[in-house]
């Protein structure tokens, strides 16, 4: 089965702790993305990566970090610097971004709650 | 900059009646537009996409959308609502570069029995 997996589904963190969210895809897509979803705000782009060992900040990158050491993996770390990390996090991937009509495929999401 | 505005945060219809979810876009060039659906606590699934071919786009589950450049609109419709259509719907525009998509704030579709 081809697709995107995110783990864990639910994650609880104490204030001041860093936490890493996993995202893996076996679609052979070059581009990967992280979004944050809050009620009534749609999805906002955190980071994106077009190719291995390269990534760029999105609209709300502060307090987050990423790595792209392998094509199939794009983990997101939520650091203690993120002031309001409780949210639903979605990972996505797409074919090479040379075409503007490339749809993105989404994982099932991770719900992070800070206690 | 590209943006989308979903005109209704909630829409409620009776089962078997038509569905209309409204979306207006703003773009400095001919955009690519998408509609995605999200069921509770799930990821997003593509319903349909417009990429400058036919202005009337047919998608999955009986949904369709019409691109109207003169009105800068891309409204989503379905002739007859089903209970399983209850979900959150997002209108989305491609930013034109490599940095992904811009999402509307979503419309919550409620289906009354």
């Amino acid at each position: 089965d081809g697709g995107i997996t995110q783990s864990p589904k639910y994650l609880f963190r104490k204030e001041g702790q860093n936490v890493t969210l996993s995202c893996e895809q076996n679609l052979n897509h070059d581009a990967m993305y992280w979004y944050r979803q809050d009620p009534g705000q749609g999805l906002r782009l955190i980071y994106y990566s077009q190719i291995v060992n390269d990534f760029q900040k999105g609209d709300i990158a502060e307090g987050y970090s990423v790595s792209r050491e392998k094509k199939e993996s794009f983990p997101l770390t939520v650091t203690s610097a993120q002031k309001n990390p409780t949210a639903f996090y979605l990972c996505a991937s797409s074919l090479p971004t040379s075409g503007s009509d490339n749809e993105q495929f989404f994982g099932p999401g991770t719900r992070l709650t800070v206690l | 900059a590209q943006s989308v505005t979903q005109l209704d945060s909630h829409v409620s219809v009776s089962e078997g009646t038509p569905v209309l979810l409204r979306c207006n876009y703003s773009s400095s060039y001919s955009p690519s537009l998408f509609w995605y659906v999200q069921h509770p606590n799930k990821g997003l699934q593509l319903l349909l996409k417009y990429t400058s071919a036919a202005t009337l786009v047919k998608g999955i589950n009986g949904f369709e959308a019409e691109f109207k450049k003169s009105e800068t609109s891309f409204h989503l419709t379905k002739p007859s609502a089903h209970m399983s259509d209850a979900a959150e719907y997002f209108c989305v525009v491609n930013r034109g570069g490599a940095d992904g998509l811009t999402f509307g704030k979503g419309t919550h579709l409620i289906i009354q029995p």
Side-chain angles (χ1 to χ4, degrees):
Chain A
D1 266 346
I4 302 176
T5 57
Q6 291 185 243
S7 61
K9 186 172 182 178
Y10 298 96
L11 188 57
F12 298 89
R13 188 196 91 176
K14 292 182 180 179
E15 281 193 37
Q17 288 181 336
N18 292 356
V19 63
T20 297
L21 283 60
S22 169
C23 177
E24 304 277 334
Q25 55 99 359
N26 61 5
L27 300 168
N28 201 33
H29 286 168
D30 287 309
M32 296 187 75
Y33 309 84
W34 273 105
Y35 293 91
R36 170 183 171 137
Q37 184 177 22
D38 296 281
Q41 293 207 40
L43 277 68
R44 292 180 290 169
L45 183 66
I46 304 173
Y47 267 98
Y48 64 100
S49 169
Q50 301 175 65
I51 199 168
V52 174
N53 292 323
D54 186 51
F55 49 83
Q56 282 78 40
K57 293 181 179 180
D59 300 320
I60 55 165
E62 185 176 354
Y64 300 97
S65 66
V66 294
S67 63
R68 187 84 188 278
E69 297 177 0
K70 299 185 296 183
K71 185 176 184 177
E72 59 270 24
S73 179
F74 191 41
L76 173 74
T77 296
V78 184
T79 74
S80 57
Q82 169 50 234
K83 298 305 180 188
N84 185 21
T86 294
F88 191 50
Y89 291 87
L90 287 158
C91 179
S93 71
S94 70
L95 288 167
T97 54
S98 58
S100 65
D101 61 345
N102 287 330
E103 66 182 270
Q104 291 185 10
F105 295 79
F106 284 82
T110 293
R111 186 166 296 282
L112 173 64
T113 302
V114 174
L115 304 173
Chain B
Q2 285 62 251
S3 66
V4 288
T5 301
Q6 292 184 243
L7 300 171
D8 306 290
S9 59
H10 293 79
V11 169
S12 180
V13 302
S14 297
E15 189 175 20
T17 65
V19 174
L20 170 64
L21 305 183
R22 298 182 296 166
C23 173
N24 287 119
Y25 71 90
S26 172
S27 178
S28 55
Y29 56 88
S30 183
S32 293
L33 292 159
F34 309 78
W35 276 98
Y36 280 85
V37 61
Q38 183 182 34
H39 289 91
N41 293 311
K42 301 289 187 184
L44 277 69
Q45 180 185 18
L46 181 70
L47 278 177
L48 49 81
K49 65 179 180 181
Y50 166 76
T51 58
S52 75
T55 57
L56 182 62
V57 183
K58 294 188 183 298
I60 62 172
N61 300 335
F63 284 94
E64 62 181 37
E66 186 172 7
F67 175 75
K68 292 187 176 181
K69 186 175 181 178
S70 60
E71 299 177 9
T72 61
S73 69
F74 190 57
H75 302 334
L76 182 70
T77 61
K78 183 174 181 178
S80 177
H82 190 273
M83 294 300 291
S84 61
D85 295 328
E88 192 83 14
Y89 291 79
F90 293 97
C91 183
V92 182
V93 64
N94 192 292
R95 300 185 183 203
D99 58 343
L101 307 173
T102 296
F103 286 76
K105 294 188 176 183
T107 297
H108 186 58
L109 178 61
I110 301 163
I111 310 297
Q112 306 281 1

